[in-house]
Amino acid sequence: KRALESIEIKNENIKLKNEKFYDYDFIGKSPKIIKIKQLIEKVSSTSSRIIIYGESGTGKDIVAKEIHKNSNFKDGPFVIINSTLMEPNGIEEDLFGLEDEKGIVKTGFFEKANNGTLFIDEIGEMPIQTQAKILRFLTDNSLIRVGGNSSVNINLRLICSSTKDLDALVESGDFRKDLFHRLNVVNINIPKLSDRIEDIDI
């Protein structure tokens, strides 16, 4: 019961973050942060896939939102997936949706992000079998809901983040090399909080 309540609270926090989307800004004046801001401005106008690296609390989600706000997808939804909070047994239904024998459809995160941006937080936590289906989606720009038969075309921008070294996960066999190359078109490295002392007003 406590675990379910915890998940509900975390999901509600994500919902509230989305509702207050434009209250967020990526701030800072140190050379490293200025460089990231310049990179955000440069990549926002493209549709390139991006991986954002950084420690917890460094603002990876804020960077993703800044890119979305300045992109061609800004009028579409911004959908967040936190891979660490997803239930392994239902992860593919959550991502790609569900269609039962009566034709009743449960929309997944990929469909919800259609014509917008999908931000997958901690992509390295995705199960290896799910990674294969994400790769298939990136190849075809379409998906088939769990239990369904027909393809659904999706147009979105995909941004991922990781606190882990995905190169190391590829070497250990915990992350698909082909998916990594599909995702790693542009990567942004956010400095550690300890390296951003110039951004803190004392």
Side-chain angles (χ1 to χ4, degrees), residues 10-159:
K10 288 176 180 177
N11 287 338
E12 184 64 22
N13 285 338
I14 291 172
K15 181 181 177 183
L16 290 172
K17 284 182 181 179
N18 285 335
E19 289 175 352
K20 296 181 178 180
F21 185 84
Y22 289 101
D23 289 345
Y24 287 85
D25 286 307
F26 189 66
I27 61 173
K29 55 189 178 182
S30 67
K32 290 181 179 179
I33 295 301
I34 290 173
K35 186 177 180 180
I36 289 176
K37 288 181 177 180
Q38 292 171 341
L39 185 55
I40 289 171
E41 185 177 352
K42 181 178 179 180
V43 301
S44 292
S45 60
T46 73
S47 57
S48 300
R49 299 179 192 117
I50 298 169
I51 299 177
I52 304 170
Y53 291 98
E55 294 179 338
S56 296
T58 51
K60 296 185 293 295
D61 59 331
I62 307 300
V63 172
K65 288 178 180 179
E66 285 294 314
I67 293 170
H68 174 74
K69 286 195 296 185
N70 294 286
S71 74
N72 295 328
F73 296 94
K74 62 185 178 183
D75 294 325
F78 180 86
V79 177
I80 300 174
I81 299 173
N82 190 325
S83 305
T84 60
L85 298 180
M86 301 190 79
E87 176 60 43
N89 292 333
I91 193 168
E92 291 182 10
E93 293 179 9
D94 290 337
L95 292 177
F96 305 111
L98 177 66
E99 188 173 337
D100 66 17
E101 62 277 3
K102 296 179 181 178
I104 298 174
V105 172
K106 174 190 171 185
T107 306
F109 285 117
F110 276 81
E111 266 187 274
K112 289 177 181 177
N114 194 23
N115 297 315
T117 300
L118 180 64
F119 175 54
I120 303 180
D121 193 19
E122 295 298 347
I123 184 68
E125 299 294 334
M126 281 287 178
I128 199 78
Q129 63 270 23
T130 306
Q131 293 175 27
K133 296 197 173 184
I134 294 174
L135 176 64
R136 191 176 306 124
F137 168 80
L138 296 177
T139 303
D140 301 336
N141 289 320
S142 65
L143 58 85
I144 298 177
R145 303 184 191 103
V146 176
N149 297 308
S150 56
S151 296
V152 181
N153 293 325
I154 303 291
N155 177 41
L156 57 78
R157 194 207 192 131
L158 184 60
I159 302 175

